[in-house]
Amino acid sequence: MKTTNLKNTLKIFLFASIFISTPQIYSAQTTVQTTPANTSKIWGKVDGIAIEGMVQGPSTEIAPLQIACVFEYTEGDIFNSPPALPAAVNGMVHLDESLKGLITDLRKSGKFAGHSLETLLITPPSGTIGAKKLLLIGLGDRNKFTPELMQQVASVGMEEALRLGVTKYGFATDLKDAGIDSPTAEVAGYGVTGAINAYRTQLYLKDKKMSSFKPIEKITLLAGPAFFTTAGEGITKAIGALNK
């Protein structure tokens, strides 16, 4: 391989996401448009809920509730690179390290197996991560993952957010950290659609006097610098369809 190509390849890895829901494979010739860390944008609103995109990782996002997703445990799955992102740019590794290895311990011991749609709520000590509460949602067997699952995951996340009484929360799928390939825009769109559909179900029940909750004001979907724009395209498309 030519030296120039090797440098381009290294640049791609260095600019990969701290978190993103959709890893992709690039050749050494591919130019990746990156967005600076901490960039945020409200892509639109649905039912009064602002849908925000942000270039941020789940360990540093400041929110009353942060949602992060993990697969069923396989030895070293978030640390072995490739396919996982290098530790320096791996949001799940940062989250695990901020909690002193708690997530790995929970998964490796089987206390949290990460089965599809399994949930575990954690109240981290003050100063460890940006969020006051962390909700882990399982993605099941990594070899059986499909983008459509993210719609169900996002639905569960919304239901838990309403149950906890928060008015805003962050959502990180962490697929790229785990080395899983899936379409960025599609996964981001499913994240919006699943959350809003779950919210509308609760609005229906509230209208029937069978549910009570604080309205959600904002959902922040975390994205890596190389995928912020593409994720935004999927989010915008989902918002448009939901607002029809």
Side-chain angles (χ1 to χ4, degrees):
M1 178 182 291
K2 294 181 179 181
T3 303
T4 300
N5 289 350
L6 178 58
K7 289 181 178 179
N8 287 341
T9 301
L10 290 174
K11 287 179 181 178
I12 289 170
F13 280 116
L14 289 173
F15 283 112
S17 67
I18 293 175
F19 151 77
I20 186 58
S21 60
T22 54
Q24 298 177 6
I25 298 174
Y26 294 98
S27 71
Q29 304 297 327
T30 303
T31 299
V32 178
Q33 179 183 357
T34 60
T35 304
N38 299 314
T39 297
S40 65
K41 179 177 180 178
I42 301 297
W43 294 105
K45 287 189 174 183
V46 183
D47 296 353
I49 301 174
I51 309 298
E52 180 182 42
M54 177 173 282
V55 181
Q56 189 64 273
S59 64
T60 52
E61 168 67 1
I62 297 174
L65 172 67
Q66 175 62 51
I67 296 171
C69 305
V70 292
F71 288 96
E72 294 171 355
Y73 182 76
T74 57
E75 186 66 33
D77 53 4
I78 65 172
F79 299 101
N80 296 332
S81 176
L85 284 181
V89 290
N90 189 312
M92 183 52 69
V93 169
H94 295 166
L95 184 61
D96 188 47
E97 290 178 346
S98 295
L99 297 175
K100 302 185 184 301
L102 176 68
I103 295 175
T104 293
D105 180 64
L106 287 168
R107 299 173 66 227
K108 190 172 185 178
S109 66
K111 293 181 177 66
F112 179 73
H115 297 318
S116 182
L117 306 183
E118 179 184 4
T119 62
L120 180 67
L121 183 65
I122 299 169
T123 302
S126 178
T128 54
I129 67 173
K132 292 182 179 179
K133 290 188 180 297
L134 173 66
L135 177 68
L136 299 181
I137 302 182
L139 297 173
D141 185 340
R142 65 174 47 237
N143 297 314
K144 297 179 180 179
F145 175 79
T146 63
E148 291 81 3
L149 176 63
M150 201 50 60
Q151 184 165 325
Q152 296 174 273
V153 171
S155 178
V156 169
M158 172 60 80
E159 291 168 356
E160 289 298 298
L162 292 172
R163 185 177 65 83
L164 292 168
V166 301
T167 59
K168 58 184 178 180
Y169 63 92
F171 184 81
T173 64
D174 301 294
L175 298 180
K176 186 169 181 63
D177 297 336
I180 300 299
D181 184 32
S182 57
T184 302
E186 187 177 354
V187 169
Y190 279 130
V192 175
T193 302
I196 296 301
N197 284 344
Y199 191 68
R200 286 178 172 175
T201 297
Q202 291 302 315
L203 286 174
Y204 172 80
L205 292 174
K206 189 175 184 179
D207 185 61
K208 300 291 184 181
K209 311 298 182 185
M210 296 182 185
S211 181
S212 177
F213 57 86
K214 292 181 180 179
I216 297 294
E217 298 173 359
K218 184 172 69 173
I219 302 171
T220 300
L221 283 79
L222 306 187
F227 298 91
F228 178 80
T229 300
T230 305
E233 293 171 358
I235 293 169
T236 302
K237 183 177 180 180
I239 291 172
L242 288 163
N243 280 332
K244 285 183 178 178

